[in-house]
Amino acid sequence: MRITLINPNTSRAMTAKIAVAAREVAGPDVEVVAICPEDGPAAIESHYDEAYASVAITQLVLADQAAGGSDGYVIACFGDPGVDAVRELVDVPVVGIAEAAMHVAVLSGRTFGIVTTLSRTLGRAQDLLHRHGFERACVAAYGTGIPVLALEHATGEALDEIAGWCDRAVHQDHADVIVLGCAGMADLCRRLSERVGVPVVDGVAAAVGLVSAMARMGVGTSKRDEYAAPPRLP
């Protein structure tokens, strides 16, 4: 099985880091190919960045399809940019890390809290909560103020800052589970879980697990109506 993991920003260091997190949960028969665009946003921290990234994501998927395709795709950005567009392009599973993390969180506890990067991204997180029906389960959503690219090496003060917000969501908002709101936090789960005492869900691992399970089940993307091929695809 071959899963293509797309980091929608251009950071090769972050791409390599999230690839490690993905391969830790992939089965021995799963090849995880991690890629990022040459031309795209350096980090995704705004609606403009998401729109820019969505174009880059679809181009990467079209190129992969031309080369033989994959058994599934993971979009590794918590805004889930381009997921719907990619689902129009392929009939295999396509999962964004926000949607995946939220699904896993409600299987792990009754409530969850989101801890993400900049507060300006919380509106997009709220949109996704409502779209996927998790607004009642989510009891808190916090922006740490830490930029995406600062997470390439999140240690010391950055780790303490993230842990502090996780602790607040658990002990003040009564979250049973923490969802990390950025692919750049993928390597922090174990340390944060030990510090706050509840499960911490990384969307990259969650998405890889769901995509591989769907592929084994033979469940892909429906081609009826909305996710049919785009009528004016070049």
Side-chain angles (χ1 to χ4, degrees), residues 26 56 70 84 91 103 160 165 169 175 187 205 209:
S70 300
D84 289 325
D91 60 3
H103 277 286
D160 289 341
W165 287 105
D187 60 333

Side-chain angles (χ1 to χ4, degrees), residues 1 71 91-93 211-221:
M1 184 190 304
D71 297 297
D91 60 3
V92 297
V211 166
S212 59
M214 290 175 68
R216 293 184 201 283
M217 294 166 64
V219 177
T221 300

